[in-house]
Amino acid sequence: MFPIKNIREYITNKLDEITVLRKFRDNTGILTVAETADSNDEDRKQHGDKELLNKVEIRSVPIDNVWVFENEFSQQPNIADRLINDQRGAFTSAGRKVEKTIIYYKSNRLYLFMIEMKRTISPRKMQEDVVKKFENSLSTLSVFISAHFEFPQFEDAGIYPVGICCYNYYEDLNPSRNRDPKRIAGNVRIKYANGDRLILLPIEPIGLNRMKSPIFFFENPNRNPVTKGFTIELDNIISEIENIGNMLS
């Protein structure tokens, strides 16, 4: 028998312990997002490990009111050995997910910074792959948030998903195809060509309502040769999100 009383607090502590959904406690304000080997990844199938983006370092992460959601927690260092083999998939669900999500509460907004890493990004890939990962990740994460012990204290807050696409190359092999700005691929194609690296795109996670979310595009700045990792500053992203204000409402 397991008592129902205080179960939400108990489960919250357990999720933190095995790092599925944990408090961010690094006073350096640095969070590393590492790609795990996935034989089903399209880039890895086509290129092997050549010029893949394996690591992104997120700097200037706020210290207070920050949590990290690990979609692949069972593959994190020092975690796999602490889990019973048959239960490593206990807190996962079917569908493609982003690498990691940073949850940040500020001024009645619960920001969900979803971080996706790719060797290449394209209008087609945004529509057929990346946006679907955002939607799947949000649907899964919404269940964890609803059951979490600490999040209900933000009952007056709204959820604001933010996509962060990190990649080594942008490519558009069919620039004349699908230029309808009402479709995700056409919208990305046109705005990216105009120099936009922050694009509002529609997402419709099954666990939440349909909304437009800001998607940031970060190309690896290290060229000749292209490195397998680079750094981005989260405080810059937060400032840009705050500047666009009512566009997110």
Side-chain angles (χ1 to χ4, degrees), residues 121-135:
I121 206 74
S122 68
R124 178 192 65 82
K125 192 173 290 186
M126 286 300 301
Q127 178 167 307
E128 298 178 3
D129 180 30
V130 178
V131 168
K132 294 185 185 304
K133 283 189 175 181
F134 290 153
E135 292 172 337

Side-chain angles (χ1 to χ4, degrees), residues 53 167-168 218-227 229-232:
L53 181 60
Y167 52 96
N168 280 342
F218 288 101
E219 185 177 49
N220 190 341
N222 306 312
R223 323 303 291 182
N224 301 319
V226 171
T227 60
F230 62 94
T231 298
I232 60 177

Side-chain angles (χ1 to χ4, degrees), residues 1 7 9 26 40 45-46 83 103 109 134 161 232 239:
M1 187 274 290
I7 188 173
E9 182 177 6
D26 193 328
N40 294 320
K45 280 183 176 180
Q46 292 182 0
L83 298 174
I103 304 170
R109 289 186 174 186
F134 290 153
I232 60 177
S239 294

